[in-house]
Amino acid sequence: MEQLVPSEIEAYAEAHSMPESPVCRALREETQRTMEYPQMLVGPLEGAFLKMMTQLVDAKRVLEIGMFTGYSALCFAEALPSDGTVITCEINEKSAAVARRYFAQSPVGRKISIRMGPALDTMRALTGMFDLIFIDADKINYLNYYRRALDLLEPNGVILIDNVLWSGEVLKQPPPDESTAAIQELNRVVSNDPQVTAVLVTIRDGVLVVRRAR
Ligand SMILES: C[S@@+](CC[C@H](N)C(=O)[O-])C[C@H]1O[C@@H](n2cnc3c(N)ncnc32)[C@H](O)[C@@H]1O
């Protein structure tokens, strides 16, 4: 992933935002040491943003599409009230094994429930409503995840969609690959959807913040 925000600016923003917890730091460091594509985890600044959004919408129930080693799931759990819950979807057993170890060490890990298997199947089986839904898995399915997320979203809830700038690739026409095309299509559909209002925030690789229109 290409860094869109200059690293000194990113570091300054990070230093002036809420700090990551010791468990999140340990998980991030192990992921960087031992996993392929460690840059997939959101990191301290976007993690702080996710925590702030969780608190701003007064979330009790969070759904995450794409857990990896559990960094963002832990951020949500840390920001939720004691009776809050996170359901997080993953297909990769190696990543899930790391996540389980860190959830067991964290005082808030019991709030997190992992659903293994393709996220679209998990979403189709879910009936309960969510205050915050974070979409951060395979880009090809972004539009499918967005459509199902709208069915599962509480009236005052928020959908957050990660990597919507895709290292700047979204500017290219024609799109260089399927993932870029899928993200461009998602951004186009959401920004033209009269059911919602949205803002594309240029934090890290771009986060689309979506809520129902009033
Ligand atoms: C970008 S990473 C998630 C990072 C995580 N949100 C964080 O910040 O710590 C995307 C994850 O989605 C998982 N994934 C990919 N396709 C999936 C699918 N169809 N269903 C569930 N998870 C999937 C991948 O295995 C990967 O671990």
Side-chain angles (χ1 to χ4, degrees):
M1 195 181 90
E2 199 176 305
Q3 191 161 343
L4 297 174
V5 179
S7 47
E8 318 85 271
I9 298 286
E10 178 92 10
Y12 184 87
E14 217 174 282
H16 294 84
S17 301
M18 62 182 108
E20 70 182 345
S21 69
V23 182
C24 276
R25 177 176 305 128
L27 167 55
R28 178 171 55 80
E29 288 172 353
E30 177 175 333
T31 302
Q32 281 162 348
R33 272 196 322 273
T34 64
M35 300 294 287
E36 230 188 322
Y37 308 119
Q39 70 280 9
M40 288 203 299
L41 63 71
V42 292
L45 184 62
E46 189 176 340
F49 178 74
L50 297 180
K51 288 170 99 161
M52 180 63 82
M53 292 301 296
T54 306
Q55 289 165 348
L56 284 175
V57 300
D58 210 6
K60 280 260 177 75
R61 297 195 72 210
V62 172
L63 172 63
E64 174 176 76
I65 310 305
M67 172 180 75
F68 190 37
T69 53
Y71 187 94
S72 49
L74 263 181
C75 291
F76 289 123
E78 288 170 359
L80 282 167
S82 56
D83 59 346
T85 55
V86 183
I87 291 178
T88 181
C89 306
E90 182 51 58
I91 44 168
N92 183 287
E93 192 44 57
K94 184 180 174 197
S95 305
V98 177
R100 281 192 201 97
R101 261 196 295 116
Y102 281 90
F103 296 167
Q105 285 173 36
S106 163
V108 296
R110 62 178 169 72
K111 296 178 192 173
I112 305 170
S113 159
I114 302 174
R115 303 289 166 89
M116 294 304 293
L120 212 47
D121 293 349
T122 302
M123 289 178 97
R124 287 187 182 123
L126 288 169
T127 49
M129 301 295 271
F130 295 87
D131 306 299
L132 191 153
I133 302 177
F134 182 48
I135 299 175
D136 188 21
D138 53 323
K139 311 310 169 198
I140 302 292
N141 271 311
Y142 260 26
L143 202 49
N144 293 325
Y145 294 145
Y146 168 69
R147 291 201 164 115
R148 182 61 187 146
L150 279 178
D151 298 335
L152 295 171
L153 190 68
E154 286 283 5
N156 289 319
V158 166
I159 301 173
L160 304 175
I161 311 174
D162 204 18
N163 305 108
V164 290
L165 292 174
W166 204 228
S167 299
E169 295 290 280
V170 286
L171 300 181
K172 293 189 178 159
Q173 281 303 344
D177 53 51
E178 270 190 318
S179 294
T180 308
I183 293 171
Q184 287 174 337
E185 172 73 349
L186 182 271
N187 290 336
R188 194 185 60 73
V189 168
V190 173
S191 57
N192 288 294
D193 186 346
Q195 302 174 85
V196 301
T197 53
V199 55
L200 199 165
V201 182
T202 55
I203 191 168
R204 207 177 70 108
D205 197 30
V207 182
L208 195 56
V209 180
V210 186
R211 66 175 300 198
R212 288 187 203 286
R214 297 292 142 114

